[in-house]
Amino acid sequence: MGSVIGKVIRNMDAVTIFPPESVRGMKQLEKERFRMTLSISAIRLRPQLVSEHLRKLKHVLLLQPGVKRVQDYSEGDKLLLLAPTSSAGGGTLLTVEEMRWVADNGGVITSHQLTLEYHNWSMHQLLKAVLPLDTKEIPSRFETIGHIAHLNLPTELTEHKNIIGMTEDDDVPARKRKRVDES
């Protein structure tokens, strides 16, 4: 069982960042309210060292939709983004041995400000953050017939149908904006 640490949930070695709590109960989609900045650890290194570090440290790298784990940094260096341990920042999932290996192999552990926005979360994560806490099932299954998406909503979620529909449209943008709502 995972433990909740602010906006970050840690379950064994998997760390998931969820949208800000302030979006709970939103009735109209306001994408700008999903913006948040997190302080995470990163490894600064020369470009020629990236692939070796990626192989060795893949289990502690950041896994977040729409965020590149390797980012450009100043003076031609690269940053390898590490998974956060909490929303407060600080700390790393690296063991003491791994930290030593990073230092011995040309890397420097540093802090990085990561900004996440609406597009950095899955439809399920977005809806889980917006819908009431007592929601039993997050709508995620829908059928498509041509350009029409058919999504069955439980009666208790009909007041959230607009935000559910807009989130679903953003998740699969190729479909036309038509839906059928049956309870």
Side-chain angles (χ1 to χ4, degrees):
M1 183 79 179
S3 61
V4 178
I5 309 172
K7 299 173 202 87
V8 177
I9 293 189
R10 181 168 182 178
N11 190 354
M12 304 302 278
D13 284 338
V15 177
T16 304
I17 305 169
F18 283 96
E21 283 293 318
S22 61
V23 300
R24 174 102 37 231
M26 183 185 294
K27 298 284 193 279
Q28 293 297 320
L29 187 59
E30 299 172 49
K31 294 180 181 179
E32 66 279 355
R33 287 185 50 199
F34 288 87
R35 183 181 178 91
M36 64 184 273
T37 301
L38 208 56
S39 181
I40 63 170
S41 295
I43 301 171
R44 180 180 178 176
L45 42 85
R46 303 297 309 160
Q48 59 270 26
L49 301 173
V50 169
S51 60
E52 182 181 5
H53 281 73
L54 282 173
R55 272 192 307 277
K56 175 86 172 167
L57 303 172
K58 63 184 170 192
H59 62 286
V60 294
L61 296 177
L62 178 70
L63 294 173
Q64 189 71 25
V67 178
K68 294 181 180 178
R69 296 184 292 183
V70 180
Q71 306 217 342
D72 291 330
Y73 195 67
S74 65
E75 301 171 22
D77 284 352
K78 298 286 185 181
L79 271 186
L80 235 63
L81 303 184
L82 302 176
T85 56
S86 75
S87 62
T92 176
L93 295 174
L94 292 172
T95 64
V96 173
E97 294 81 25
E98 289 168 333
M99 286 186 214
R100 195 172 301 123
W101 183 87
V102 167
D104 292 345
N105 288 278
V108 176
I109 298 172
T110 186
S111 180
H112 177 70
Q113 296 298 312
L114 176 67
T115 300
L116 298 174
E117 300 185 16
Y118 174 83
H119 67 274
N120 294 120
W121 287 286
S122 67
M123 177 181 157
H124 181 80
Q125 289 174 319
L126 292 167
L127 291 177
K128 189 170 183 159
V130 170
L131 296 176
L133 283 172
D134 62 349
T135 302
K136 292 179 179 88
E137 185 178 341
I138 305 295
S140 60
R141 286 172 267 156
F142 52 88
E143 296 178 35
T144 56
I145 303 166
H147 63 279
I148 298 173
H150 179 93
L151 179 67
N152 287 329
L153 288 181
T155 307
E156 65 269 11
L157 293 181
T158 54
E159 70 178 292
H160 301 281
K161 68 182 178 184
N162 290 334
I163 200 162
I164 293 168
M166 292 175 76
T167 305
E168 185 265 331
D169 283 344
D170 289 340
D171 193 49
V172 187
R175 244 190 328 279
K176 296 204 177 184
R177 312 271 192 244
K178 296 183 180 178
R179 275 173 303 285
V180 178
D181 178 13
E182 285 183 9
S183 297

